[in-house]
Amino acid sequence: MRRRSCLALLVALLLAAWCPAAARAGAPVVLNPNTAGSGLTSDPAGAIRTARGLIAQGKMQDAITSLETYVFGHPNEIAPRRFLGDLYFRTGQLDRAAFTYQEILASDGGDRETHNRLGTVYAIQNRVDDAIREFDKALPGTDSVSDLVALHQRKGDLATYEAQMKRTAERYPTDPALQSEVGQIYDALYEPYIAIIYFRRALDADPSDLSALNGLGVAYLDMHDYADAQEQFTECLRLAPGAYPCANDLGAAMLEAKQYADAQRMLERARSLAPERAETYVNFGFLSDALGDWHRAAAYYAQSIAVDPYVREAYIDLALSYEDHKLYPLAEATLLKGLAAMADDGRFHVLLGIAYAGEGKRSLADDQFRLALSGTNPEAQRVARLQLPNASPTPLRTP
């Protein structure tokens, strides 16, 4: 058998750890019928459905215009306004997104989903303390924990945050939301065995906790235990048939288990639930790659970036596809675009190092491998260490 090159081996090592995006549980649509004096028919769920239908047709600007018109006539309805902010965010209009979320919070300061969204905008803008404050206000009940882990790492006090949350969880062992939060911390730290302990505690206290069910499924998925992962996601969908994260992640588990026909059907269901969510398009790309159609896979990854430019896996999977076919300049351009948009966990840098090495830029490649050593992703660290066994890590830069 022909031996693979060193670069191909490095890509294969990362591919072994390559999982479709694991989305977190989202909030249900909040209906606020208070439209007195508007003179317009109130249908917040319908307004969002219309926007999603336009997005599914590739008409993002039309979806934004439709929602802008509806929100103007129904200023007291939170859900359509928040969704409009989400679309501003996904099209790179960060200031408009932040203003939209701030307007909601001015009238309803306890809206956790909106605090979560505003925290995401601040994180992208590198306003670390502001982002942490917003994510703290978003808990419990939102998917803010992984962002908090990344921000505390950036700030340099991750160990303190982890220890504090662990102590609090031990003090309140029957609080399902708190146990689930700590489980999400360890999931973000790539420690699924510990995460499972806390997710199980949450489910012992509340077997219907969707966040804990989805988190437990993701932890099993990280451990390549596909049967148990699918069991958790299936139970989540039994309790909440419209739960997009569980549908998407069940499709991801089926992909990992090579159940491609079942995965296709489940991903179609996930896309019908939330066509604006980019994780599904990443997973469609993963499926196309698995079936040997890398051009179609690349198109899906590019579509994911167009739908939401802040989904890390889209850039990583597209770069992996390019590097697997030795298209190193295209991989480089993809990774630099991703690094300009968001914080890194090490994978961007190790893949950029592979791209530079493939282009013969060894000095630049070594710089990237040193940066990868400071990330949190253990597979990226392992690949970087293979390239530079005696190197000292270089602190990661923020976007």
Side-chain angles (χ1 to χ4, degrees), residues 45-365:
I48 293 173
R49 266 197 314 274
T50 297
R52 282 181 166 149
L54 291 167
I55 294 168
Q57 299 172 45
K59 300 177 180 178
M60 178 65 82
Q61 187 53 53
D62 288 348
I64 290 174
T65 301
S66 172
L67 270 180
E68 286 174 336
T69 301
Y70 184 87
V71 167
F72 180 80
H74 305 83
N76 297 322
E77 293 182 358
I78 290 177
R81 185 179 292 272
R82 188 197 299 124
F83 194 72
L84 177 60
D86 295 348
L87 298 189
Y88 286 147
F89 175 79
R90 287 173 179 142
T91 53
Q93 303 177 70
L94 298 184
D95 290 339
R96 296 186 78 177
F99 181 76
T100 301
Y101 299 143
Q102 289 162 354
E103 281 189 319
I104 294 172
L105 293 172
S107 61
D108 184 359
D111 185 57
R112 291 173 179 164
E113 280 295 338
T114 302
H115 280 297
N116 183 31
R117 308 298 213 283
L118 185 56
T120 301
V121 174
Y122 289 156
I124 293 295
Q125 295 175 329
N126 202 28
R127 295 171 57 178
V128 174
D129 289 333
D130 289 338
I132 289 173
R133 183 185 67 248
E134 294 300 323
F135 285 132
D136 281 337
K137 290 179 180 179
L139 293 170
T142 64
D143 60 352
S144 301
V145 175
S146 61
D147 295 295
L148 279 168
V149 169
L151 288 164
H152 281 292
Q153 182 186 35
R154 199 185 306 181
K155 190 174 180 179
D157 64 351
L158 177 58
T160 301
Y161 168 69
E162 176 189 349
Q164 177 184 349
M165 291 299 298
K166 187 176 179 180
R167 284 195 301 270
T168 305
E170 296 299 331
R171 193 177 303 127
Y172 302 101
T174 60
D175 184 327
L178 185 55
Q179 300 302 316
S180 184
E181 284 178 35
V182 178
Q184 291 171 59
I185 289 174
Y186 285 108
D187 175 66
L189 293 174
Y190 302 97
E191 299 186 50
Y193 294 95
I194 301 176
I196 283 174
I197 295 171
Y198 288 95
F199 288 132
R200 286 202 172 281
R201 287 181 185 175
L203 291 169
D204 285 343
D206 181 4
S208 64
D209 188 312
L210 299 183
S211 178
L213 278 168
N214 196 62
L216 182 58
V218 169
Y220 281 132
L221 189 54
D222 288 341
M223 294 164 55
H224 309 290
D225 183 348
Y226 307 128
D228 281 333
Q230 291 186 41
E231 182 180 345
Q232 310 310 316
F233 299 138
T234 299
E235 175 64 9
C236 178
L237 287 172
R238 186 188 70 80
L239 294 170
Y244 164 81
C246 299
N248 177 69
D249 292 348
L250 180 53
M254 291 169 172
L255 282 176
E256 289 290 290
K258 297 181 169 51
Q259 300 167 348
Y260 297 135
D262 291 338
Q264 173 82 32
R265 286 190 289 271
M266 187 51 60
L267 292 175
E268 292 285 358
R269 175 176 174 179
R271 181 167 57 181
S272 71
L273 289 171
E276 77 280 3
R277 294 290 292 265
E279 299 92 341
T280 311
Y281 299 101
V282 176
N283 290 340
F284 275 124
F286 188 100
L287 176 60
S288 297
D289 253 329
L291 296 176
D293 189 346
W294 81 271
H295 288 97
R296 188 177 186 189
Y300 272 124
Y301 299 141
Q303 184 178 6
S304 174
I305 293 169
V307 169
D308 186 346
Y310 305 108
V311 174
R312 186 179 288 116
E313 284 75 13
Y315 297 95
I316 288 168
D317 292 352
L318 181 56
L320 277 165
S321 189
Y322 284 146
E323 291 186 352
D324 195 40
H325 292 84
K326 297 182 171 53
L327 300 173
Y328 300 118
L330 290 176
E332 176 190 341
T334 298
L335 294 162
L336 290 174
K337 181 179 179 180
L339 279 170
M342 69 197 81
D344 177 40
D345 61 6
R347 289 176 294 173
F348 278 105
H349 288 296
V350 79
L351 286 171
L352 192 53
I354 292 171
Y356 283 144
E359 296 175 87
K361 304 173 182 177
R362 191 66 227 184
S363 178
L364 291 175

